[in-house]
Amino acid sequence: MPLLASAHPSARGVEEDILIPLLARLTTVCTALDAAAAAAAPPPIVSPEHPISSQPSAGTDATAAALEATTSHARALLEKIKGDMAALRRLFRRIDRTEKGIRYSFDPVEQHMDNAIQQQERPSVEHIHSQLLAVDAEIEAIRTKICAAYNLPLSDRDAGEDHDPPRPEATGVAMTRRMEELRYGPQMRHLKLAVSGLDARVRGSLLCLAAFPEGAVVKKRLLIHWWIGEGFVKSADAGKRRFDQLVAKGFIIPVRSALCGTVSRCTVRPWVLDLLMSLARTTSFLELDCSDFALARRVCLTGGKVLSRFSADARAIYNIDHKYVELDKGWFAGKKELCTLQLGQWRELGPREQIANPMASHIEVSGVERFADIQSCKSLRYISFRGISRIESLPDSIGNLRELVVLDLRACHNLEELGQGITKLDRLEYLDLSECHLLGGMPKGLGRLTRLQVLKGFVVANTNSKDPCHLNELTKLDKLRKLGIVIGKMAVPTDDEFLKLAEFAVLESLTIRWGLLASEKSRNEEGPAPHPVVMMKFALPPNLKKLDLHCFPLAEFPQWVPKGVKKLYIRGGKLATLSDEEGWDVEVLRLRFLRDLQYNHDTLQRCFKKLDPDHTEYTHVQTSWANNDVYHVCTFLETLVQYMLFRTSWMAYFIGGLIVRCCY
């Protein structure tokens, strides 16, 4: 039997590939036995007096008796074989459960190794040593389990092998063979069955990961937004539960932050990604490598020239690595089923990466006037234009997208005006305007977006704003849990604008970023009049858990910081002192780029007794960004160059990056 010659089939493979087909053949054998017995039976003798039948002769009777005995014995033997094979199925299932138990025992081994080499930005020797001890204990437990299951000696050294040990292979060859075994071995068969057995929405959530390249680290928030757009989950909280579910099942690997321990990113093992890509193609879930998307429901822009002949039934357009996208009338016309539009940057690049490669986070789109046609896409729930240049304003037609839940405009450096259309998006839950440096204010009417939960980059109105939105209007947003505020040098807040923050009852995370500050010399030349920032009065929400202050403009620690915050970040600025009061609940503290800060370590430990040493960073001068004046001037120059050149040339990012790198 050819199937028996296959190399080392798993127990479940033996059942599926051998025993089940053999049982099917036994049914065919049973049918053949019945047919053979009927054909061998002597025909009845018919006479004119008795047309129905007559008594058989003695010879015929003996033949029929022998045939009946043989047939009876064959049927009994057939039933015995069926019973034996059913018993074999149960035995192989027991073996399969044992194999699974052993195989799954390697999951914590892999997790400990990942913790040792992947999930620590600055691993210590002690940490790696502790993880190796855990790996050693898990391996010993696995060896014990195998020996007990198969009655083997506890150590192969005790077995006394006579032949010489095999010569070790080169590391690269061994790793390649191991990858091949994982990708094409029995484990993949079980993984495929596990994926196929998932609920349709869970399986769809998992297959979205097939869009990203091998080794990519993907933000959890990015996945959740895609899932919301597709309708795989109904809310951000449901998306977080879905993410945890996929982690628990081992489909994705969580990547933890070294400083706060939270899971905000994930990655996928290469052999799992292979399977997801294969399933995405065979099920027509996602088109990965085609330039003509006339039939694809979900398309990934992965290279080459993109044709605009998208299917009228397209549900998702996702930009993976296109740096230049040319829009025409074929992009949005008739796309009534389009629910996910990710034209922007999906990668999360840090400041150093952006400086080293200014074009990495930049995406240029021509034909931005075609965004006015987006109103025909009534089903859109997720839009990302993150990092796209040349978008100066949003079309008023965006207000027709009444199903829109997520709108990501982060780092749209040319964006100057949002327009009133955005105030009609009454289902909007997530709005990111961070790093949109040319925005002078927010349109009045944002308070009507009552479902808004996350608002990043709210710009306090400046002198050029006409009829702007102020923070007191946002107090109507009773679901707002995360807020980011930008206070520019020309900001003109109302007298009680920042006191209104105390009325945000459910707000848990608050980020305040101050703009370019005047130097000490210029302030002294202007006379004794205080800087306007000094006159700003703040009162923060009672349930605040995280406070992030960027470029804080004063030397003294602000007294309005609530002691109940769990996470406190202060990055850049003029801060010279910290609170010397006790009773703080801060568990995670980050103090960065504070060249003027003078603080005693013992006082820090006395005042912030709940600090977790692993989640604390209070290096006063950590990088060359400690010179805040240079940092702010560089940021201003880079933005200015982008403003002047983005409209005519993609060289803006390159020139701006050179300025920053030279100044640093």
Side-chain angles (χ1 to χ4, degrees):
M1 185 180 298
L3 287 173
L4 294 177
S6 60
H8 306 293
S10 66
R12 179 63 70 179
V14 170
E15 179 186 355
E16 294 175 352
D17 297 341
I18 299 177
L19 291 178
I20 292 179
L22 287 179
L23 284 170
R25 291 186 187 184
L26 282 178
T27 303
T28 305
V29 170
C30 183
T31 303
L33 177 63
D34 292 339
I45 300 175
V46 181
S47 65
E49 294 82 10
H50 302 282
I52 298 179
S53 64
S54 63
Q55 293 294 326
S57 64
T60 302
D61 185 72
T63 301
L67 177 63
E68 183 178 355
T70 303
T71 303
S72 178
H73 186 268
R75 286 197 174 101
L77 190 58
L78 189 64
E79 291 301 319
K80 178 182 182 299
I81 293 173
K82 284 184 179 180
D84 291 343
M85 293 187 67
L88 282 175
R89 287 187 67 183
R90 292 192 294 270
L91 180 60
F92 274 104
R93 286 179 180 177
R94 289 178 58 188
I95 296 173
D96 185 68
R97 286 194 294 269
T98 303
E99 287 181 352
K100 283 184 178 179
I102 294 171
R103 191 158 50 244
Y104 294 156
S105 298
F106 283 92
D107 288 346
V109 174
E110 186 175 31
Q111 185 65 50
H112 289 307
M113 289 185 178
D114 287 343
N115 290 340
I117 62 176
Q118 280 190 350
Q119 301 173 1
Q120 292 290 321
E121 296 179 5
R122 295 174 299 180
S124 63
V125 173
E126 293 79 8
H127 173 77
I128 295 176
H129 180 253
S130 66
Q131 296 300 319
L132 290 178
L133 288 175
V135 169
D136 183 64
E138 295 289 351
I139 292 295
E140 188 61 30
I142 293 172
R143 291 178 64 250
T144 303
K145 183 183 296 185
I146 294 174
C147 293
Y150 298 106
N151 194 25
L152 299 174
L154 188 59
S155 172
D156 56 356
R157 292 184 297 270
D158 299 334
E161 293 188 2
D162 295 328
H163 56 80
D164 294 332
R167 184 176 181 179
E169 294 181 287
T171 303
V173 176
M175 288 297 295
T176 301
R177 291 190 176 182
R178 175 60 178 157
M179 292 292 290
E180 292 296 315
E181 291 174 2
L182 289 170
R183 280 183 161 130
Y184 305 109
Q187 187 174 2
M188 288 300 291
R189 183 186 322 211
H190 294 290
L191 182 60
K192 185 175 182 179
L193 290 174
V195 174
S196 302
L198 294 173
D199 174 80
R201 292 183 178 179
V202 180
R203 185 168 60 252
S205 302
L206 181 59
L207 289 179
C208 288
L209 285 156
F212 302 100
E214 183 174 321
V217 177
V218 185
K219 290 280 288 186
K220 176 169 73 172
R221 183 193 65 244
L222 190 83
L223 285 175
I224 292 175
H225 286 171
W226 190 349
W227 298 342
I228 290 175
E230 290 272 6
F232 295 142
V233 297
K234 294 183 178 180
S235 65
D237 290 338
K240 293 175 183 177
R241 292 192 294 270
R242 176 67 49 78
F243 184 89
D244 294 340
Q245 179 184 4
L246 295 178
V247 170
K249 290 181 177 294
F251 293 123
I252 58 180
I253 304 173
V255 178
R256 301 181 184 276
S257 171
L259 288 177
C260 62
T262 58
V263 175
S264 59
R265 296 170 177 82
C266 72
T267 187
V268 180
R269 296 179 178 91
W271 53 92
V272 177
L273 181 61
D274 282 352
L275 174 64
L276 297 182
M277 293 175 66
S278 174
L279 290 175
R281 289 190 183 99
T282 56
T283 61
S284 300
F285 178 86
L286 186 68
E287 184 57 60
L288 298 170
D289 50 8
C290 181
S291 59
D292 189 353
F293 304 112
L295 300 176
R297 297 295 305 278
R298 298 174 182 86
V299 299
C300 288
L301 312 183
T302 56
K305 181 176 175 57
V306 178
L307 303 180
S308 59
R309 295 194 299 269
F310 297 111
S311 167
D313 298 327
R315 292 183 55 83
I317 301 175
Y318 213 96
N319 187 3
I320 296 298
D321 58 12
H322 260 61
K323 296 301 181 184
Y324 182 83
V325 179
E326 184 177 358
L327 301 179
D328 59 27
K329 63 181 181 180
W331 270 80
F332 305 115
K335 304 298 187 298
K336 296 181 180 180
E337 300 295 323
L338 190 64
C339 57
T340 295
L341 179 62
Q342 168 86 24
L343 290 185
Q345 177 63 259
W346 63 269
R347 291 179 175 88
E348 190 97 350
L349 301 178
R352 293 182 180 178
E353 294 172 300
Q354 294 187 39
I355 294 171
N357 185 5
M359 293 299 296
S361 62
H362 169 59
I363 296 175
E364 189 170 357
V365 173
S366 66
V368 292
E369 64 275 5
R370 291 296 179 186
F371 284 138
D373 301 335
I374 207 171
Q375 61 180 332
S376 63
C377 306
K378 302 290 187 180
S379 298
L380 269 172
R381 289 191 288 269
Y382 169 39
I383 294 178
S384 173
F385 295 151
R386 174 183 290 232
I388 293 180
S389 65
R390 298 191 179 184
I391 301 178
E392 300 176 16
S393 62
L394 293 183
D396 288 337
S397 59
I398 199 172
N400 295 324
L401 305 179
R402 307 306 289 269
E403 299 295 322
L404 196 63
V405 177
V406 177
L407 179 58
D408 190 347
L409 301 173
R410 188 185 185 106
C412 290
H413 296 293
N414 280 83
L415 187 61
E416 301 179 27
E417 185 180 358
L418 292 178
Q420 287 295 319
I422 199 173
T423 65
K424 300 177 182 179
L425 304 175
D426 49 11
R427 290 182 178 270
L428 199 65
E429 297 179 5
Y430 183 99
L431 176 59
D432 192 348
L433 303 168
S434 307
E435 301 177 37
C436 296
H437 303 301
L438 299 183
L439 281 176
M442 300 287 105
K444 193 169 186 178
L446 282 184
R448 294 198 291 265
L449 307 182
T450 56
R451 298 192 182 188
L452 206 59
Q453 299 180 24
V454 177
L455 173 56
K456 300 179 180 180
F458 179 92
V459 179
V460 177
N462 62 27
T463 53
N464 297 324
S465 302
K466 297 180 180 179
D467 197 21
C469 176
H470 293 283
L471 285 173
N472 58 350
E473 185 179 343
L474 301 187
T475 57
K476 305 173 186 177
L477 306 180
D478 56 3
K479 296 182 179 179
L480 193 66
R481 54 182 178 80
K482 183 177 292 188
L483 174 63
I485 301 174
V486 178
I487 307 174
K489 183 182 178 182
M490 305 301 293
V492 185
T494 61
D495 293 340
D496 64 342
E497 183 149 5
F498 302 117
L499 295 177
K500 291 292 183 180
L501 289 172
E503 300 180 19
F504 289 75
V506 300
L507 195 68
E508 297 179 351
S509 176
L510 175 63
T511 300
I512 305 177
R513 182 187 298 271
W514 282 265
L516 185 67
L517 306 179
S519 66
E520 294 292 338
K521 180 179 179 180
S522 63
R523 275 189 276 173
N524 292 336
E525 291 175 352
E526 292 171 358
H531 191 277
V533 175
V534 179
M535 304 179 65
M536 297 179 183
K537 297 180 180 179
F538 290 80
L540 300 191
N543 298 319
L544 198 65
K545 296 180 181 179
K546 177 182 177 181
L547 178 62
D548 193 350
L549 305 178
H550 289 251
C551 306
F552 184 68
L554 303 179
E556 294 185 2
F557 186 79
Q559 299 299 314
W560 36 264
V561 176
K563 290 186 176 181
V565 295
K566 303 293 185 183
K567 299 179 181 180
L568 177 60
Y569 304 163
I570 306 178
R571 317 183 200 194
K574 302 297 183 181
L575 188 68
T577 64
L578 281 179
S579 173
D580 57 0
E581 299 180 5
E582 299 184 13
W584 288 86
D585 293 334
V586 175
E587 299 174 357
V588 180
L589 178 64
R590 295 186 190 176
L591 306 175
R592 305 181 68 186
F593 319 131
L594 300 171
R595 65 171 184 178
D596 300 322
L597 182 61
Q598 301 294 327
Y599 207 73
N600 183 276
H601 179 74
D602 294 335
T603 306
L604 183 73
Q605 296 297 320
R606 175 176 56 83
C607 297
F608 298 88
K609 295 182 178 180
K610 296 185 179 181
L611 281 181
D612 185 343
D614 294 334
H615 299 159
T616 302
E617 181 181 12
Y618 46 90
T619 303
H620 302 163
V621 181
Q622 186 166 1
T623 72
S624 55
W625 284 16
N627 190 329
N628 287 284
D629 292 333
V630 173
Y631 169 61
H632 285 297
V633 171
C634 292
T635 303
F636 172 74
L637 288 176
E638 184 181 12
T639 303
L640 180 62
V641 172
Q642 290 167 355
Y643 176 66
M644 294 171 62
L645 299 180
F646 258 154
R647 304 168 191 259
T648 58
S649 172
W650 58 266
M651 290 294 292
Y653 249 91
F654 178 74
I655 296 174
L658 283 179
I659 291 174
V660 176
R661 295 181 73 178
C662 291
C663 292
Y664 287 170

